[in-house]
Amino acid sequence: MFKKILFLLTILVFFSCNSSKKYVRTTKKTPPKTNKSVATKKPVTTKKPVATTNSNSNGRQEVIESTSKTVVYSDVVFNYVNDFKDIAKGNMKTYGIPASIILAQGILESGAGRGELAKNSNNHFGIKCHTGWTGETVHHDDDAAQECFRKYKDPAESYKDHALFLTGRSRYASLFQLEKDDYEAWAKGLRKAGYATDPKYPEKLIGYIERYNLHQYDAEVLGNNFVPSEKSNKPIQIADHQVGNLYEVQKGDTFYSISKKFNLTVDELKKKNNLSDNTLSIGQKLIIK
């Protein structure tokens, strides 16, 4: 009897062991979970780099030579006009100088803001020190080596001083007898009164006025109808997506294209915005002034 019981227990233990081994095998055959689902659900980056392009500045090339020789493209001139047209119109209302003449002189004398005298001293009209000037000065090669020029805190101060310079000197008095929309007479009168020694000075001013339709601002101030010049390059273009000193990055923008749009170098643009890499994001706000 005892042997039978022992035999039955042995059989039970044997089948029990086999049963547990099968259970372990089935769990091993179950494939382990992988991380594939995690890999397909990577977080979406909110700031995507804008694709870089090799686009150059648009428009014809201008070689501007007055207080310094500067080579710019027409889009630089358009942006310069956009920056200072309101000041020019304000000075026309206050002092009686045609806005077209103010802007044309600014373009020529400052190299559309890119000449050395404009960059180093905010002098946009090539005004020399002259007797009685008590402000800051800078020396620059012009008709002679290292001539004394006025230095300003900002371009707006230069624009105001230009107006005071013309209205405060008797040799320019005859200009104010001319019609305010006669930019050709004003350009010739400035040369005749001795503002510049360049014999082609009137021709250059008139050329800028007609190519960039600067006389449209005279018409705005005087309330006259404006007729675009047949010699114009294209209508005045205002930089889109610019609000004050900020520009909102658009699709397709690059550091190069933005810097050219606002008359900056890429390094200057990055420095203004404390940026070190080449990543831009659509909608990003950049300081451009």
Side-chain angles (χ1 to χ4, degrees), residues 86-256:
D86 290 335
I87 294 177
K89 289 193 294 181
N91 282 2
M92 180 176 180
K93 293 174 184 177
T94 303
Y95 301 102
I97 306 164
S100 59
I101 288 292
I102 296 170
L103 290 169
Q105 283 193 281
I107 292 167
L108 177 57
E109 297 290 352
S110 75
R114 302 191 73 173
E116 291 301 316
L117 192 60
K119 291 194 296 185
N120 295 337
S121 58
N122 290 313
N123 189 331
H124 283 233
F125 294 91
I127 299 179
K128 297 179 182 178
C129 295
H130 298 289
T131 304
W133 175 250
T134 58
E136 291 187 69
T137 62
V138 65
H139 288 83
H140 181 82
D141 292 345
D142 190 40
D143 295 326
Q146 293 299 289
E147 290 191 86
C148 183
F149 286 86
R150 301 183 182 190
K151 183 176 181 179
Y152 305 97
K153 293 179 180 178
D154 57 61
E157 189 177 308
S158 174
Y159 268 73
K160 182 177 180 180
D161 194 45
H162 167 261
L164 296 175
F165 186 82
L166 293 184
T167 56
R169 283 166 170 72
S170 58
R171 61 176 172 162
Y172 298 115
S174 60
L175 293 172
F176 296 90
Q177 305 302 314
L178 302 172
E179 296 294 330
K180 298 297 182 288
D181 58 355
D182 191 350
Y183 58 83
E184 291 189 10
W186 274 81
K188 294 173 183 177
L190 281 166
R191 169 71 178 86
K192 186 177 180 180
Y195 191 97
T197 57
D198 183 357
K200 293 185 177 180
Y201 195 76
E203 178 184 322
K204 290 177 180 179
L205 294 183
I206 294 167
Y208 287 124
I209 290 170
E210 294 180 346
R211 286 204 301 279
Y212 295 97
N213 281 320
L214 303 182
H215 50 309
Q216 67 179 292
Y217 303 114
D218 299 339
E220 288 180 17
V221 173
L222 297 172
N224 296 337
N225 291 327
F226 167 67
V227 179
S229 171
E230 294 180 357
K231 300 177 182 179
S232 64
N233 285 344
K234 53 184 176 180
I236 292 294
Q237 295 177 341
I238 299 173
D240 293 332
H241 312 292
Q242 178 187 350
V243 180
N245 294 336
L246 297 176
Y247 173 76
E248 183 176 333
V249 177
Q250 303 299 302
K251 183 178 180 180
D253 278 339
T254 65
F255 276 106
Y256 180 79

Side-chain angles (χ1 to χ4, degrees), residues 7-18:
F7 177 75
L8 290 171
L9 288 172
T10 303
I11 291 173
L12 288 171
V13 170
F14 175 79
F15 281 106
S16 175
C17 289
N18 285 342

